[in-house]
Amino acid sequence: MAGKLRARDIMTGGVQCVGAHQSLQDAAKMMRDLKVGALPICGDNNRLTGMITDRDIVIKCCAEGIDPSTVQAGSLQSKIHWIDAEADASDVLRTMEQHRIKRLPVIDTKGGHQLVGMITEANLAKNLTDAQVAEFAARVYATA
């Protein structure tokens, strides 16, 4: 089944970015309002520069006693892995498994290198076979 699907077919579209210069408080409010646990970070050119999670905000800011309204989202961005919108679903799985990630931004490289969506575990569960989802879970959640 995965060989017939592309990243574009699996993703959730309409993803919103937090700006690299916006505060972590802004990012947290966006996560709350969008009911998500992670956001892509976009730079001034509106291109993807990283990802930030609710855990990043709690561990790297709040737990350290730092006011989230004083920290820019871009300062906590983590390494970014992404996939082309036209990539095969097997490439999506391979990328997520290899990097042990649960969220994968989707970029339209032919359309100006713009962020067009996000693939999450829920997207995989809706679009792939039970066996593929089980293999993904085993590889991503396995202890090293």
PDB file of all heavy atoms in Angstrom, residues 39-60:
ATOM      1  N   LEU A  39       5.333  22.638  16.458  1.00  0.00           N
ATOM      2  CA  LEU A  39       5.130  23.591  15.367  1.00  0.00           C
ATOM      3  C   LEU A  39       6.391  23.696  14.530  1.00  0.00           C
ATOM      4  O   LEU A  39       7.500  23.675  15.068  1.00  0.00           O
ATOM      5  CB  LEU A  39       4.831  24.994  15.915  1.00  0.00           C
ATOM      6  CG  LEU A  39       3.486  25.249  16.534  1.00  0.00           C
ATOM      7  CD1 LEU A  39       3.484  26.628  17.206  1.00  0.00           C
ATOM      8  CD2 LEU A  39       2.385  25.170  15.494  1.00  0.00           C
ATOM      9  N   PRO A  40       6.213  23.860  13.236  1.00  0.00           N
ATOM     10  CA  PRO A  40       7.367  24.208  12.412  1.00  0.00           C
ATOM     11  C   PRO A  40       7.738  25.661  12.692  1.00  0.00           C
ATOM     12  O   PRO A  40       6.876  26.479  13.024  1.00  0.00           O
ATOM     13  CB  PRO A  40       6.864  24.033  10.980  1.00  0.00           C
ATOM     14  CG  PRO A  40       5.394  23.979  11.056  1.00  0.00           C
ATOM     15  CD  PRO A  40       4.999  23.687  12.457  1.00  0.00           C
ATOM     16  N   ILE A  41       9.017  25.959  12.573  1.00  0.00           N
ATOM     17  CA  ILE A  41       9.500  27.328  12.728  1.00  0.00           C
ATOM     18  C   ILE A  41       9.897  27.823  11.347  1.00  0.00           C
ATOM     19  O   ILE A  41      10.622  27.136  10.627  1.00  0.00           O
ATOM     20  CB  ILE A  41      10.714  27.389  13.669  1.00  0.00           C
ATOM     21  CG1 ILE A  41      10.347  26.862  15.051  1.00  0.00           C
ATOM     22  CG2 ILE A  41      11.250  28.822  13.762  1.00  0.00           C
ATOM     23  CD1 ILE A  41      11.546  26.673  15.968  1.00  0.00           C
ATOM     24  N   CYS A  42       9.413  28.991  10.982  1.00  0.00           N
ATOM     25  CA  CYS A  42       9.750  29.579   9.689  1.00  0.00           C
ATOM     26  C   CYS A  42      10.538  30.855   9.898  1.00  0.00           C
ATOM     27  O   CYS A  42      10.256  31.626  10.813  1.00  0.00           O
ATOM     28  CB  CYS A  42       8.490  29.863   8.869  1.00  0.00           C
ATOM     29  SG  CYS A  42       7.666  28.352   8.320  1.00  0.00           S
ATOM     30  N   GLY A  43      11.519  31.053   9.031  1.00  0.00           N
ATOM     31  CA  GLY A  43      12.356  32.251   9.084  1.00  0.00           C
ATOM     32  C   GLY A  43      11.683  33.421   8.409  1.00  0.00           C
ATOM     33  O   GLY A  43      10.528  33.355   7.972  1.00  0.00           O
ATOM     34  N   ASP A  44      12.424  34.503   8.278  1.00  0.00           N
ATOM     35  CA  ASP A  44      11.902  35.718   7.676  1.00  0.00           C
ATOM     36  C   ASP A  44      11.478  35.520   6.219  1.00  0.00           C
ATOM     37  O   ASP A  44      10.604  36.220   5.726  1.00  0.00           O
ATOM     38  CB  ASP A  44      12.937  36.845   7.751  1.00  0.00           C
ATOM     39  CG  ASP A  44      13.207  37.275   9.187  1.00  0.00           C
ATOM     40  OD1 ASP A  44      12.318  37.112  10.047  1.00  0.00           O
ATOM     41  OD2 ASP A  44      14.317  37.772   9.447  1.00  0.00           O
ATOM     42  N   ASN A  45      12.085  34.544   5.556  1.00  0.00           N
ATOM     43  CA  ASN A  45      11.733  34.263   4.165  1.00  0.00           C
ATOM     44  C   ASN A  45      10.554  33.299   4.047  1.00  0.00           C
ATOM     45  O   ASN A  45      10.230  32.836   2.970  1.00  0.00           O
ATOM     46  CB  ASN A  45      12.945  33.694   3.419  1.00  0.00           C
ATOM     47  CG  ASN A  45      13.440  32.398   4.039  1.00  0.00           C
ATOM     48  OD1 ASN A  45      12.905  31.906   5.025  1.00  0.00           O
ATOM     49  ND2 ASN A  45      14.490  31.855   3.454  1.00  0.00           N
ATOM     50  N   ASN A  46       9.933  32.999   5.187  1.00  0.00           N
ATOM     51  CA  ASN A  46       8.779  32.110   5.278  1.00  0.00           C
ATOM     52  C   ASN A  46       9.123  30.661   4.901  1.00  0.00           C
ATOM     53  O   ASN A  46       8.267  29.900   4.520  1.00  0.00           O
ATOM     54  CB  ASN A  46       7.607  32.618   4.442  1.00  0.00           C
ATOM     55  CG  ASN A  46       6.286  32.221   5.062  1.00  0.00           C
ATOM     56  OD1 ASN A  46       6.202  32.006   6.271  1.00  0.00           O
ATOM     57  ND2 ASN A  46       5.262  32.121   4.258  1.00  0.00           N
ATOM     58  N   ARG A  47      10.402  30.324   5.015  1.00  0.00           N
ATOM     59  CA  ARG A  47      10.839  28.944   4.764  1.00  0.00           C
ATOM     60  C   ARG A  47      11.105  28.239   6.088  1.00  0.00           C
ATOM     61  O   ARG A  47      11.521  28.862   7.064  1.00  0.00           O
ATOM     62  CB  ARG A  47      12.096  28.921   3.900  1.00  0.00           C
ATOM     63  CG  ARG A  47      11.786  29.358   2.494  1.00  0.00           C
ATOM     64  CD  ARG A  47      12.762  28.771   1.553  1.00  0.00           C
ATOM     65  NE  ARG A  47      12.405  29.136   0.182  1.00  0.00           N
ATOM     66  CZ  ARG A  47      13.121  28.817  -0.844  1.00  0.00           C
ATOM     67  NH1 ARG A  47      14.233  28.135  -0.686  1.00  0.00           N
ATOM     68  NH2 ARG A  47      12.746  29.166  -2.047  1.00  0.00           N
ATOM     69  N   LEU A  48      10.920  26.952   6.066  1.00  0.00           N
ATOM     70  CA  LEU A  48      11.110  26.120   7.243  1.00  0.00           C
ATOM     71  C   LEU A  48      12.561  26.177   7.724  1.00  0.00           C
ATOM     72  O   LEU A  48      13.488  25.988   6.942  1.00  0.00           O
ATOM     73  CB  LEU A  48      10.738  24.679   6.879  1.00  0.00           C
ATOM     74  CG  LEU A  48      10.787  23.653   7.986  1.00  0.00           C
ATOM     75  CD1 LEU A  48       9.709  23.935   9.026  1.00  0.00           C
ATOM     76  CD2 LEU A  48      10.588  22.264   7.398  1.00  0.00           C
ATOM     77  N   THR A  49      12.736  26.465   9.016  1.00  0.00           N
ATOM     78  CA  THR A  49      14.082  26.493   9.586  1.00  0.00           C
ATOM     79  C   THR A  49      14.246  25.504  10.732  1.00  0.00           C
ATOM     80  O   THR A  49      15.370  25.230  11.150  1.00  0.00           O
ATOM     81  CB  THR A  49      14.441  27.902  10.113  1.00  0.00           C
ATOM     82  OG1 THR A  49      13.525  28.257  11.153  1.00  0.00           O
ATOM     83  CG2 THR A  49      14.411  28.927   8.999  1.00  0.00           C
ATOM     84  N   GLY A  50      13.149  24.987  11.261  1.00  0.00           N
ATOM     85  CA  GLY A  50      13.248  24.065  12.386  1.00  0.00           C
ATOM     86  C   GLY A  50      11.887  23.658  12.898  1.00  0.00           C
ATOM     87  O   GLY A  50      10.854  23.978  12.303  1.00  0.00           O
ATOM     88  N   MET A  51      11.926  22.939  13.996  1.00  0.00           N
ATOM     89  CA  MET A  51      10.708  22.500  14.675  1.00  0.00           C
ATOM     90  C   MET A  51      10.876  22.800  16.161  1.00  0.00           C
ATOM     91  O   MET A  51      11.990  22.795  16.681  1.00  0.00           O
ATOM     92  CB  MET A  51      10.501  20.986  14.515  1.00  0.00           C
ATOM     93  CG  MET A  51      10.141  20.535  13.126  1.00  0.00           C
ATOM     94  SD  MET A  51       8.416  20.819  12.701  1.00  0.00           S
ATOM     95  CE  MET A  51       7.574  19.721  13.820  1.00  0.00           C
ATOM     96  N   ILE A  52       9.756  23.037  16.821  1.00  0.00           N
ATOM     97  CA  ILE A  52       9.773  23.229  18.270  1.00  0.00           C
ATOM     98  C   ILE A  52       8.597  22.449  18.849  1.00  0.00           C
ATOM     99  O   ILE A  52       7.519  22.409  18.246  1.00  0.00           O
ATOM    100  CB  ILE A  52       9.717  24.721  18.658  1.00  0.00           C
ATOM    101  CG1 ILE A  52       9.944  24.887  20.162  1.00  0.00           C
ATOM    102  CG2 ILE A  52       8.435  25.368  18.206  1.00  0.00           C
ATOM    103  CD1 ILE A  52      10.246  26.306  20.574  1.00  0.00           C
ATOM    104  N   THR A  53       8.830  21.820  19.991  1.00  0.00           N
ATOM    105  CA  THR A  53       7.781  21.043  20.639  1.00  0.00           C
ATOM    106  C   THR A  53       7.404  21.681  21.970  1.00  0.00           C
ATOM    107  O   THR A  53       8.155  22.489  22.524  1.00  0.00           O
ATOM    108  CB  THR A  53       8.235  19.593  20.904  1.00  0.00           C
ATOM    109  OG1 THR A  53       9.279  19.613  21.885  1.00  0.00           O
ATOM    110  CG2 THR A  53       8.700  18.906  19.627  1.00  0.00           C
ATOM    111  N   ASP A  54       6.250  21.257  22.470  1.00  0.00           N
ATOM    112  CA  ASP A  54       5.834  21.727  23.787  1.00  0.00           C
ATOM    113  C   ASP A  54       6.848  21.289  24.845  1.00  0.00           C
ATOM    114  O   ASP A  54       7.161  22.026  25.771  1.00  0.00           O
ATOM    115  CB  ASP A  54       4.420  21.247  24.131  1.00  0.00           C
ATOM    116  CG  ASP A  54       4.175  19.769  23.886  1.00  0.00           C
ATOM    117  OD1 ASP A  54       5.111  19.010  23.548  1.00  0.00           O
ATOM    118  OD2 ASP A  54       3.006  19.355  24.030  1.00  0.00           O
ATOM    119  N   ARG A  55       7.426  20.121  24.635  1.00  0.00           N
ATOM    120  CA  ARG A  55       8.449  19.624  25.563  1.00  0.00           C
ATOM    121  C   ARG A  55       9.687  20.522  25.534  1.00  0.00           C
ATOM    122  O   ARG A  55      10.281  20.792  26.584  1.00  0.00           O
ATOM    123  CB  ARG A  55       8.825  18.190  25.206  1.00  0.00           C
ATOM    124  CG  ARG A  55       9.729  17.530  26.226  1.00  0.00           C
ATOM    125  CD  ARG A  55       9.910  16.043  25.918  1.00  0.00           C
ATOM    126  NE  ARG A  55      10.471  15.340  27.042  1.00  0.00           N
ATOM    127  CZ  ARG A  55      11.764  15.319  27.359  1.00  0.00           C
ATOM    128  NH1 ARG A  55      12.637  15.965  26.605  1.00  0.00           N
ATOM    129  NH2 ARG A  55      12.197  14.656  28.410  1.00  0.00           N
ATOM    130  N   ASP A  56      10.084  20.989  24.359  1.00  0.00           N
ATOM    131  CA  ASP A  56      11.220  21.914  24.265  1.00  0.00           C
ATOM    132  C   ASP A  56      10.973  23.148  25.139  1.00  0.00           C
ATOM    133  O   ASP A  56      11.864  23.590  25.860  1.00  0.00           O
ATOM    134  CB  ASP A  56      11.435  22.391  22.823  1.00  0.00           C
ATOM    135  CG  ASP A  56      11.904  21.313  21.877  1.00  0.00           C
ATOM    136  OD1 ASP A  56      12.552  20.342  22.327  1.00  0.00           O
ATOM    137  OD2 ASP A  56      11.616  21.445  20.671  1.00  0.00           O
ATOM    138  N   ILE A  57       9.779  23.690  25.044  1.00  0.00           N
ATOM    139  CA  ILE A  57       9.448  24.901  25.795  1.00  0.00           C
ATOM    140  C   ILE A  57       9.513  24.638  27.301  1.00  0.00           C
ATOM    141  O   ILE A  57      10.088  25.417  28.058  1.00  0.00           O
ATOM    142  CB  ILE A  57       8.068  25.445  25.385  1.00  0.00           C
ATOM    143  CG1 ILE A  57       8.097  25.887  23.917  1.00  0.00           C
ATOM    144  CG2 ILE A  57       7.642  26.601  26.292  1.00  0.00           C
ATOM    145  CD1 ILE A  57       6.739  26.221  23.329  1.00  0.00           C
ATOM    146  N   VAL A  58       8.952  23.508  27.721  1.00  0.00           N
ATOM    147  CA  VAL A  58       8.927  23.195  29.153  1.00  0.00           C
ATOM    148  C   VAL A  58      10.331  22.908  29.683  1.00  0.00           C
ATOM    149  O   VAL A  58      10.746  23.488  30.691  1.00  0.00           O
ATOM    150  CB  VAL A  58       7.983  21.997  29.426  1.00  0.00           C
ATOM    151  CG1 VAL A  58       8.126  21.504  30.859  1.00  0.00           C
ATOM    152  CG2 VAL A  58       6.545  22.387  29.142  1.00  0.00           C
ATOM    153  N   ILE A  59      11.069  22.035  29.003  1.00  0.00           N
ATOM    154  CA  ILE A  59      12.373  21.589  29.503  1.00  0.00           C
ATOM    155  C   ILE A  59      13.449  22.665  29.373  1.00  0.00           C
ATOM    156  O   ILE A  59      14.228  22.895  30.299  1.00  0.00           O
ATOM    157  CB  ILE A  59      12.835  20.309  28.768  1.00  0.00           C
ATOM    158  CG1 ILE A  59      11.825  19.173  28.948  1.00  0.00           C
ATOM    159  CG2 ILE A  59      14.237  19.888  29.188  1.00  0.00           C
ATOM    160  CD1 ILE A  59      11.660  18.690  30.358  1.00  0.00           C
ATOM    161  N   LYS A  60      13.502  23.318  28.219  1.00  0.00           N
ATOM    162  CA  LYS A  60      14.601  24.246  27.951  1.00  0.00           C
ATOM    163  C   LYS A  60      14.325  25.682  28.381  1.00  0.00           C
ATOM    164  O   LYS A  60      15.231  26.506  28.372  1.00  0.00           O
ATOM    165  CB  LYS A  60      14.951  24.219  26.468  1.00  0.00           C
ATOM    166  CG  LYS A  60      15.444  22.855  26.010  1.00  0.00           C
ATOM    167  CD  LYS A  60      15.658  22.826  24.523  1.00  0.00           C
ATOM    168  CE  LYS A  60      16.075  21.438  24.056  1.00  0.00           C
ATOM    169  NZ  LYS A  60      16.157  21.342  22.592  1.00  0.00           N
TER     170      LYS A  60
END
